[in-house]
Amino acid sequence: MTRFSYLNGEFLPHEKCFVHIEDRGFQFADGAYEVTLFENDNLVDGDFHLQRLMRSLRELNIEHNFTIEELKKIQLELFSKNNFLTSAYCYLQITRGVANRTPWCPKNLKNTIVATVSAKKIISPEELDKGFTAMTHDDIRWHRCDIKTVNLLASTLVNQKAKDAGFDDAIFVREGIVTEATYANVFIVDDKKNLITHPADNHILQGITRNRLIKIAQENKINVIERKFGIDEMMKASEVFLTSSTLIIRPVFQINRQEILGREKASKPSLAKILKEAYEDFVGSISSN
Amino acid sequence: MTRFSYLNGEFLPHEKCFVHIEDRGFQFADGAYEVTLFENDNLVDGDFHLQRLMRSLRELNIEHNFTIEELKKIQLELFSKNNFLTSAYCYLQITRGVANRTPWCPKNLKNTIVATVSAKKIISPEELDKGFTAMTHDDIRWHRCDIKTVNLLASTLVNQKAKDAGFDDAIFVREGIVTEATYANVFIVDDKKNLITHPADNHILQGITRNRLIKIAQENKINVIERKFGIDEMMKASEVFLTSSTLIIRPVFQINRQEILGREKASKPSLAKILKEAYEDFVGSISSN
């Protein structure tokens, strides 16, 4: 089975997809991206991902002349060319384009558009039941984390640092405030079953899965509060979990090698489990369209 | 004349140099680079640039098995293949390599090594005499500016923003402290002719030209102080100038549309001019080797 990828108008064998060395994505991280879940022939919240991508391009002043519909068509056609995949992800990256290297952002470039697909990794129920471990880490990222760009060096370095230290992930802390994990939003549940997460400002990415779970929570009469919180409050929570398009919901049981303090007393089933099931129902409902 | 570039062991026509779409440089800004001046068949401070590149790779935990000597040979051979260039720059970029996309940093990859050359832009004496204009801007970059990486989105966006607003460059300010311009170090001269610049910590790049100019200044009995300063002190300075391998020394006469206050009373010739001439003598001396 040949794995096909998309590059600037063509569907090519993945190993034949190359960009020029003066692509702005390669020299300046001058591009945006999205990772979208694909289940049973449908993109999960595909329109929201593409709307966010359009916002990212606007914030970066990356000119383009394509529509959300055109990008969606590319994604779906790519899955049909890789029809051995059922449960999978689409990675879509758009850069400003190729230009002689200049410190500023040249105008009127032809964008580079890349899309790849990969199978969804199956997580066993046992693995899920174990929960994640995380370390906290200074949020050394830039100050426009609200834009989903390939300016990802800080996240990838700190993610690796966490793994080297024996943790599953790292949770960023900026001036005492918990912002995000390296590639996921962070939620905590307090002893009154309030669901709390960082407000969507310039220090976090407004996750599509985050937003969907907030909506699902509210539909299930769970009180959602978007406000800042620190490490102490997180350590005392009943639950801590990470959310992203690839993790969906992943509970965190230990941070900095300490158990989350409120977990013992927390009622069962956990909110994470309730929300995960509701999210799966949601995915099932859009798949049948 | 064909412009040759270097890519992973080969010298190829520039337009034929491509990297895979899953190069870590393209997807995560996971690479380091250097820009080195080339004059009369010699790299200017070439060893210092390559030593810094080696440090950058170490700080990023990018494994490799090449030596400074090997990289230098590539650079010089590239200039000999582009022998129509006399006064020029070498851009050298090294990424972790190509890997299936993962949020962490995969090990044991084959690095991607890219080098390009471009002619040095000639600045007229009139243009130099005019001085730069700059705006100040929040330092929104990440917190490891000491590593020279391609994680450059903040710098390139803010540089463009400055140009859109009619300035030549922007000067970053982090928590009240002047750090750097978008791609250059910032020096000020006080009314006692002290040369002052931000200490080389994690908030600035330790510029090779910065270091060379500090050495030249000290040899010329100019007092150099590495300490932090704010916008007010900068505005009151006798001189403000930017330094980098491409700018060498570029005086700034106006910031946020206001004249540098101490400039009127400053003695002539300016320190910028004295240092620029001394730097040119230095380049001349190494070129004759």
Side-chain angles (χ1 to χ4, degrees):
Chain A
M1 282 171 308
T2 304
R3 179 184 175 197
F4 281 94
S5 292
Y6 173 89
L7 175 64
N8 296 329
E10 289 186 284
F11 295 94
L12 301 168
H14 180 68
E15 67 276 12
K16 298 206 168 152
C17 292
F18 289 82
V19 292
H20 192 261
I21 56 170
E22 287 197 315
D23 193 286
R24 298 272 309 177
F26 185 68
Q27 293 192 321
F28 291 93
D30 192 2
Y33 78 104
E34 287 293 332
V35 178
T36 309
L37 180 58
F38 178 81
E39 292 280 6
N40 303 325
D41 298 333
N42 263 294
L43 293 159
V44 177
D45 277 334
D47 286 352
F48 287 134
H49 281 281
L50 291 174
Q51 282 162 19
R52 183 172 64 183
L53 182 62
M54 290 297 190
R55 176 188 180 271
S56 296
L57 296 173
R58 270 199 310 276
E59 291 295 315
L60 302 178
N61 292 313
I62 292 183
E63 303 153 299
H64 67 82
N65 55 12
F66 44 77
T67 63
I68 284 185
E69 283 311 309
E70 285 162 352
L71 293 176
K72 195 174 178 175
K73 205 175 144 214
I74 289 168
Q75 290 177 304
L76 291 174
E77 198 167 336
L78 183 58
F79 279 113
S80 76
K81 298 239 182 259
N82 293 282
N83 61 6
F84 53 93
L85 288 170
T86 47
S87 204
Y89 290 103
C90 179
Y91 173 84
L92 176 62
Q93 178 177 341
I94 297 175
T95 77
R96 198 176 303 271
V98 177
N100 288 331
R101 190 175 184 278
T102 60
W104 57 87
C105 302
K107 307 221 194 283
N108 303 314
L109 303 183
K110 193 174 159 289
N111 307 116
T112 299
I113 308 181
V114 169
T116 63
V117 291
S118 56
K120 186 177 165 191
K121 200 186 149 211
I122 305 300
I123 316 285
S124 67
E126 295 72 37
E127 206 178 330
L128 273 176
D129 280 347
K130 260 177 39 191
F132 255 25
T133 61
M135 63 188 273
T136 54
H137 194 285
D138 243 12
D139 195 343
I140 58 168
R141 298 174 303 165
W142 75 327
H143 297 203
R144 288 304 307 273
C145 299
D146 57 312
I147 317 175
K148 197 167 175 78
T149 76
V150 292
N151 201 44
L152 287 173
L153 187 53
S155 295
T156 195
L157 287 177
V158 174
N159 187 291
Q160 183 63 47
K161 195 169 160 185
K163 290 197 167 49
D164 287 343
F167 300 99
D168 293 305
D169 202 348
I171 291 175
F172 284 123
V173 180
R174 198 187 289 261
E175 291 170 19
I177 301 299
V178 171
T179 52
E180 286 185 278
T182 56
Y183 294 86
N185 290 121
V186 179
F187 284 81
I188 61 172
V189 179
D190 71 8
D191 57 4
K192 293 181 186 66
K193 287 200 179 181
N194 293 305
L195 190 56
I196 303 164
T197 195
H198 194 289
D201 63 14
N202 61 311
H203 290 311
I204 70 156
L205 182 75
Q206 191 168 159
I208 302 301
T209 307
R210 169 193 184 275
N211 290 355
R212 173 60 62 189
L213 287 167
I214 287 175
K215 192 161 182 284
I216 289 174
Q218 287 166 337
E219 286 164 0
N220 283 274
K221 314 281 182 231
I222 297 162
N223 190 36
V224 182
I225 306 169
E226 292 182 58
R227 68 160 171 83
K228 297 180 181 180
F229 55 87
I231 299 181
D232 281 358
E233 190 175 352
M234 176 170 68
M235 294 309 296
K236 287 179 191 147
S238 307
E239 296 180 43
V240 177
F241 54 83
L242 311 183
T243 71
S244 77
S245 298
T246 44
L247 296 176
I248 311 295
I249 293 190
R250 191 59 74 91
V252 179
F253 290 171
Q254 273 193 11
I255 297 172
N256 297 335
R257 305 193 204 285
Q258 297 189 332
E259 290 288 319
I260 303 302
L261 291 176
R263 230 168 62 76
E264 283 285 302
K265 291 178 287 180
S267 57
K268 297 278 172 325
S270 65
L271 269 197
K273 204 174 179 98
I274 292 169
L275 288 172
K276 185 171 177 289
E277 281 167 14
Y279 187 84
E280 281 162 2
D281 288 347
F282 156 73
V283 170
S285 73
I286 55 160
S287 297
S288 61
N289 283 342
Chain B
M1 282 171 308
T2 303
R3 179 184 175 197
F4 281 94
S5 291
Y6 173 89
L7 176 64
N8 295 329
E10 289 184 284
F11 295 93
L12 300 167
H14 180 69
E15 68 276 12
K16 297 207 169 152
C17 291
F18 288 83
V19 293
H20 192 262
I21 56 170
E22 288 199 314
D23 193 287
R24 297 272 309 177
F26 185 68
Q27 294 191 322
F28 292 93
D30 192 3
Y33 79 105
E34 287 293 331
V35 178
T36 310
L37 180 59
F38 178 81
E39 291 281 5
N40 303 325
D41 297 333
N42 264 294
L43 293 159
V44 177
D45 278 334
D47 285 353
F48 287 134
H49 281 281
L50 292 173
Q51 282 161 20
R52 183 173 64 182
L53 182 63
M54 290 296 191
R55 176 188 180 271
S56 296
L57 296 172
R58 269 199 311 278
E59 291 295 314
L60 302 179
N61 293 313
I62 291 184
E63 302 153 298
H64 67 81
N65 56 11
F66 45 77
T67 63
I68 284 184
E69 283 310 310
E70 284 162 351
L71 293 177
K72 196 175 178 175
K73 207 176 143 214
I74 289 168
Q75 291 177 304
L76 292 174
E77 199 166 338
L78 183 58
F79 279 113
S80 76
K81 299 240 182 256
N82 293 283
N83 60 8
F84 53 93
L85 289 171
T86 48
S87 204
Y89 289 102
C90 178
Y91 174 83
L92 176 63
Q93 177 176 341
I94 297 176
T95 77
R96 199 177 302 272
V98 177
N100 288 330
R101 189 174 185 279
T102 60
W104 56 89
C105 303
K107 308 221 194 283
N108 302 314
L109 303 183
K110 194 174 160 291
N111 308 115
T112 299
I113 308 180
V114 169
T116 62
V117 291
S118 56
K120 187 177 164 190
K121 198 186 151 211
I122 306 301
I123 316 286
S124 67
E126 293 74 36
E127 205 179 331
L128 273 175
D129 280 348
K130 261 178 37 190
F132 256 25
T133 61
M135 64 187 272
T136 54
H137 194 285
D138 244 11
D139 195 343
I140 58 168
R141 299 174 301 164
W142 75 327
H143 296 204
R144 288 304 307 274
C145 300
D146 57 311
I147 318 175
K148 197 168 175 76
T149 76
V150 292
N151 200 46
L152 286 172
L153 187 52
S155 295
T156 194
L157 287 177
V158 174
N159 187 292
Q160 182 62 47
K161 196 170 160 184
K163 290 196 167 51
D164 287 343
F167 300 99
D168 293 305
D169 202 350
I171 291 176
F172 284 125
V173 179
R174 198 186 290 262
E175 290 169 20
I177 301 300
V178 171
T179 52
E180 286 185 277
T182 56
Y183 294 85
N185 291 120
V186 179
F187 284 79
I188 60 172
V189 179
D190 72 8
D191 57 5
K192 295 182 185 65
K193 287 201 179 180
N194 292 306
L195 189 56
I196 303 164
T197 194
H198 194 288
D201 62 15
N202 61 312
H203 290 310
I204 70 155
L205 183 75
Q206 190 168 157
I208 302 300
T209 308
R210 169 193 184 275
N211 289 355
R212 173 59 63 190
L213 286 168
I214 287 175
K215 193 163 182 286
I216 289 174
Q218 287 166 337
E219 286 164 0
N220 284 274
K221 313 280 183 235
I222 297 162
N223 191 35
V224 181
I225 306 170
E226 292 182 59
R227 69 161 170 83
K228 297 180 181 179
F229 55 89
I231 299 181
D232 282 357
E233 190 175 353
M234 176 169 69
M235 294 309 297
K236 288 179 191 145
S238 308
E239 296 180 43
V240 177
F241 55 82
L242 310 183
T243 71
S244 77
S245 297
T246 43
L247 296 176
I248 311 297
I249 294 190
R250 192 59 74 92
V252 179
F253 289 171
Q254 272 194 11
I255 296 172
N256 297 335
R257 307 193 201 283
Q258 298 190 331
E259 291 287 317
I260 303 302
L261 292 176
R263 231 168 64 75
E264 283 286 301
K265 293 178 288 182
S267 56
K268 298 276 171 329
S270 65
L271 268 197
K273 203 173 179 99
I274 292 169
L275 287 172
K276 184 172 178 289
E277 282 167 14
Y279 187 84
E280 281 162 2
D281 288 348
F282 156 72
V283 169
S285 74
I286 55 160
S287 298
S288 61
N289 282 342

